[in-house]
Amino acid sequence: MTDQTLAPVQTGTIENAIEFLKARYPDSVKDDTRSGYSGVVVSKSQLVDVARTLRDELGFDYLSSATAVDYLGVSDHMEMVYHAYRTSGGPPLVFKAQTERSNAEVPSLIDVWPGVDFQEREAWDLFGIRFAGHPNLKRILMWDGFEGHPMRKDWREAYYEEDQKPFESRWPRGYIRRAEELNVYGRNVRYPDDLDLGALKDDSAEESLYSGMGLGVDVSAYETEGIKTDKLVVNLGPHHPSTHGVFRMVVTLDGETVLSLEPVMGYLHRNHEKIGERNAWLHNMPFTDRLDYISSMSNNLGYALAVEDLLASGARYAPPSYRAEAIRVLMVELTRIVNHFWAIGFLLNDLGAFFTPALYAIAEREKILDFFEATAGSRMMCNYMRFQGVAKDLPERIRSTANLLNDRVRDFNTMDYLTEMITERLPRAIDDLDRYLTDSEIVKSRTIGVGYLPPEMAIAYSTAGPLLRASGIPYDVRRAEPYSIYPDLDFDVAVRYNGDIYDRYLIRLDEMRESVRILKQVLPRLEKSQGESIFSGNKAIYMPRVPVGEAYGRVENPKGELGYYVVSEGDPKGPQNPWRYHVRAPSFINLTALGAMCKGHKVADVVAILGSIDIVLGETDR
């Protein structure tokens, strides 16, 4: 140590914090001097100590993202990239740990930030990086019989064609064939050499799955006759309406009381990120729709911001026009209302109020989707944002086509439609939900005090969105690290303080009202900017040359912080595909706290607690 007098900087700049780290750990913390990169590279041997210093002395109490990168062919090492924030607001301190590919291992940070649990398991599963000290390091998205680690640059699937799209077989030659035609039927799956398929039985597979979960139950004991204990292992899912999709919860019960719970996911996994690294930059925009398919507009914006951050270092970049930014905010705030209507409706479904509340919520959601359809051409997979703008301007009228005789056809002036919806319909619908549900004796008895998540645990587990803010943490990316035109808008960060299901329900009502407040400010901006271009430079940028470097673009999605970590190889003459494309999915990370939230509650409460998190399996599994 060279400077013992340097004091910790709880609220200083990122530069101050980095200087403090370099003075405290002069041999272990170095600037990342690669072109287009930021932050510091930390020696593996000091990674845990540096992380504790960041949290305890420098105030970076919130670890948002932890992801792996394989640099095979560039510098032939692997790297873990961490984005740490202060919940008081501000930009991230980015720190990295590097490891050789042949024996990829870094220390686990789970004792510093428990929210890294699933993210480290994901890095092990997809990249093969071991995390020393992780208590439950096993696959999380792939099954145990999967061969290899599919996000490594040298991994090839059975139907592999090429590293980047468009494939030569499609364009420019136009010769089309299916890769499957070149493979013998039945050879499209590889298994590990030590996996004996003949000995694979459901019982042994389940026993293998449960081992390491710390369930406190000997599963094999149930193979004998008679019940040996009052404890039971129960599976909820994976195919069950109350699990919100193909998701499974392994629950250890003592009677009806939950002793422990382990989320099991991956049934929907299709390696979205591997696809994203083979696509060209723009090709990924419609793929983001498929993540949170309730909130595709917001997904588009997060990815656009990440790529624009990279483009901004180029000579020809111009930021989106003000009209484009106003339209973006219009779309994502309407999306927030769409999502929260849906979340509240199906939370009531999970509580046993089948269909009626959900139908009330969906009915108003449809009016917003009518507008999305008229503007983007789609109600669900909107594919609307573009780098430096949006795909098209708002239509002058919202029209539909008559398909049958005497069909009633929508035909409205767009601004009139928006004005009525934002100033009258949406506030009335939100008030109706509030009036029907908030004081319901059944809703209160099933939700107050259930699924408690204390504020310190909400931060430690890296939870985000309504789950975090309902525990008393007023952290919202729109205010903590503002983007687009949010600095010009007047709104409050909704926060509740009891950390239970009831407050998670209430905070979604609060957030919808704040969204309406924002939308009322956007309307005059749309009127004032009519005729302005929706692209910077008056033309669309479809296949940009993305400069070398890294970027992390994040937005406050309805379910929480959605982040995209992207790395550009930057070869001006080579393929224009992301070298690394990673999605920080709020549904995935918010599930890290599910087990702790359910402990001590009843089986029926588990369904309600899961519903209060509001997950979507498209982004949980990706």
Side-chain angles (χ1 to χ4, degrees):
M1 297 184 188
T2 59
D3 188 354
Q4 298 286 351
T5 63
L6 193 61
V9 187
Q10 285 279 353
T11 58
T13 66
I14 298 298
E15 291 74 19
N16 295 149
I18 288 176
E19 289 305 315
F20 179 85
L21 289 176
K22 288 160 62 177
R24 172 73 65 86
Y25 306 98
D27 298 325
S28 301
V29 177
K30 307 293 183 184
D31 289 321
D32 190 340
T33 57
R34 294 171 291 184
S35 176
Y37 286 71
S38 63
V40 294
V41 178
V42 180
S43 170
K44 291 193 298 181
S45 62
Q46 292 289 317
L47 181 63
V48 175
D49 291 336
V50 170
R52 290 192 189 280
T53 300
L54 278 170
R55 184 193 67 183
D56 299 338
E57 298 185 54
L58 297 176
F60 291 91
D61 52 347
Y62 186 77
L63 185 71
S64 168
S65 174
T67 185
V69 186
D70 183 359
Y71 282 101
L72 177 65
V74 177
S75 58
D76 294 341
H77 71 276
M78 304 190 84
E79 185 170 284
M80 281 299 297
V81 183
Y82 305 90
H83 288 77
Y85 292 86
R86 295 176 172 124
T87 49
S88 57
L93 195 152
V94 184
F95 62 104
K96 298 140 187 179
Q98 298 177 345
T99 179
E100 63 277 8
R101 297 183 80 254
S102 59
N103 184 29
E105 182 174 321
V106 297
S108 173
L109 296 184
I110 196 168
D111 291 335
V112 183
W113 290 293
V116 83
D117 183 359
F118 288 3
Q119 297 180 76
E120 288 184 346
R121 285 179 59 189
E122 180 185 17
W124 156 247
D125 193 356
L126 302 185
F127 285 86
I129 299 177
R130 292 183 298 278
F131 292 88
H134 193 290
N136 192 24
L137 191 63
K138 60 185 177 185
R139 290 192 182 272
I140 190 168
L141 297 175
M142 317 303 295
W143 74 296
D144 287 339
F146 188 84
E147 171 67 13
H149 303 280
M151 285 303 297
R152 285 194 171 214
K153 292 295 184 182
D154 54 357
W155 183 88
R156 300 289 182 266
E157 71 274 22
Y159 291 153
Y160 170 79
E161 288 192 60
E162 299 174 42
D163 275 340
Q164 285 96 21
K165 294 179 182 177
F167 295 152
E168 285 288 327
S169 62
R170 273 66 160 179
W171 181 88
R173 292 185 299 169
Y175 168 67
I176 298 174
R177 60 166 171 76
R178 296 178 64 204
E180 292 90 329
E181 296 170 7
L182 304 181
N183 291 269
V184 178
Y185 179 75
R187 300 288 181 85
N188 63 329
V189 178
R190 293 197 302 268
Y191 300 103
D193 294 335
D194 58 353
L195 182 69
D196 183 1
L197 290 176
L200 191 63
K201 298 179 180 179
D202 285 345
D203 291 343
S204 61
E206 289 299 277
E207 190 171 343
S208 173
L209 173 67
Y210 297 141
S211 64
M213 284 187 177
L215 298 177
V217 177
D218 181 7
V219 178
S220 62
Y222 299 106
E223 297 175 4
T224 62
E225 294 183 3
I227 300 296
K228 304 299 183 183
T229 174
D230 290 331
K231 294 181 181 179
L232 296 174
V233 175
V234 175
N235 279 282
L236 299 179
H239 299 287
H240 191 279
S242 291
T243 59
H244 292 240
V246 282
F247 175 71
R248 176 183 178 192
M249 292 175 284
V250 179
V251 188
T252 308
L253 298 174
D254 187 352
E256 283 283 314
T257 302
V258 176
L259 298 180
S260 64
L261 182 147
E262 174 83 6
V264 182
M265 60 203 73
Y267 298 97
L268 196 65
H269 182 66
R270 66 256 195 227
N271 216 335
H272 175 97
E273 295 178 10
K274 191 76 168 183
I275 295 170
E277 291 176 11
R278 290 182 178 172
N279 285 338
W281 291 97
L282 186 61
H283 291 169
N284 281 329
M285 190 63 75
F287 282 80
T288 66
D289 293 335
R290 276 78 181 164
L291 292 166
D292 181 354
Y293 34 78
I294 309 299
S295 307
S296 74
M297 288 286 193
S298 303
N299 300 349
N300 287 178
L301 179 57
Y303 178 59
L305 292 179
V307 178
E308 286 168 3
D309 194 11
L310 283 174
L311 290 172
S313 62
R316 298 184 178 181
Y317 174 77
S321 67
Y322 195 88
R323 179 166 181 81
E325 293 285 25
I327 292 174
R328 285 177 169 187
V329 171
L330 170 75
M331 295 304 188
V332 299
E333 291 305 323
L334 285 172
T335 297
R336 194 177 316 279
I337 294 173
V338 163
N339 182 92
H340 287 349
F341 269 135
W342 190 270
I344 290 173
F346 281 91
L347 172 62
L348 269 292
N349 242 30
D350 293 334
L351 291 173
F354 295 123
F355 309 126
T356 302
L359 289 174
Y360 267 86
I362 291 171
E364 210 55 45
R365 170 180 177 267
E366 288 297 302
K367 302 300 181 183
I368 299 176
L369 298 191
D370 289 345
F371 168 64
F372 286 173
E373 182 181 23
T375 305
S378 174
R379 304 177 72 80
M380 197 170 187
M381 309 298 181
C382 297
N383 183 23
Y384 182 64
M385 308 292 177
R386 294 293 181 270
F387 308 140
Q388 300 175 237
V390 293
K392 59 182 75 171
D393 207 337
L394 303 183
E396 187 175 332
R397 300 192 69 81
I398 296 175
R399 287 195 178 99
S400 61
T401 303
N403 296 313
L404 300 173
L405 191 64
N406 297 325
D407 268 359
R408 292 184 64 187
V409 179
R410 294 193 300 270
D411 190 357
F412 307 104
N413 176 279
T414 299
M415 290 307 298
D416 290 345
Y417 183 89
L418 284 174
T419 301
E420 182 197 10
M421 181 168 64
I422 291 168
T423 61
E424 297 182 28
R425 293 191 63 99
L426 291 177
R428 183 169 61 245
I430 296 166
D431 289 344
D432 284 347
L433 275 182
D434 192 356
R435 182 168 62 255
Y436 296 148
L437 301 177
T438 301
D439 288 328
S440 165
E441 182 180 350
I442 297 175
V443 170
K444 285 185 172 181
S445 65
R446 289 293 312 278
T447 60
I448 292 178
V450 179
Y452 176 59
L453 183 65
E456 62 278 3
M457 185 182 293
I459 296 172
Y461 277 97
S462 302
T463 64
L467 184 60
L468 177 66
R469 290 188 288 276
S471 291
I473 308 300
Y475 188 80
D476 186 311
V477 178
R478 294 173 296 175
R479 283 290 188 233
E481 193 180 13
Y483 54 93
S484 190
I485 62 169
Y486 282 109
D488 301 339
L489 301 173
D490 181 27
F491 67 98
D492 295 321
V493 174
V495 61
R496 295 275 175 167
Y497 297 93
N498 295 310
D500 55 13
I501 297 177
Y502 191 64
D503 270 17
R504 286 172 218 136
Y505 152 74
L506 290 174
I507 205 164
R508 290 186 172 94
L509 289 177
D510 297 340
E511 290 192 3
M512 285 196 286
R513 290 188 168 110
E514 289 302 317
S515 289
V516 168
R517 183 177 167 190
I518 290 170
L519 290 167
K520 287 178 179 178
Q521 298 169 64
V522 170
L523 284 175
R525 287 169 166 80
L526 292 175
E527 295 279 8
K528 186 177 180 180
S529 63
Q530 280 188 349
E532 184 180 331
S533 172
I534 56 169
F535 279 102
S536 55
N538 293 317
K539 68 176 183 177
I541 306 297
Y542 288 114
M543 294 297 284
R545 290 292 179 183
V546 179
V548 64
E550 64 175 355
Y552 182 62
R554 62 178 189 150
V555 292
E556 187 61 48
N557 246 34
K559 293 176 175 64
E561 178 185 330
L562 173 70
Y564 293 87
Y565 177 71
V566 291
V567 176
S568 172
E569 196 177 4
D571 184 353
K573 297 181 180 179
Q576 279 294 300
N577 305 75
W579 181 264
R580 181 70 175 106
Y581 166 80
H582 170 68
V583 182
R584 188 261 188 226
S587 293
F588 177 68
I589 296 176
N590 282 348
L591 283 170
T592 312
L594 178 62
M597 292 162 62
C598 291
K599 190 173 182 180
H601 290 297
K602 305 300 183 185
V603 175
D605 295 326
V606 169
V607 174
I609 294 168
L610 177 66
S612 74
I613 297 177
D614 182 27
I615 65 167
V616 62
L617 267 296
E619 72 173 15
T620 300
D621 288 1
R622 283 153 288 133

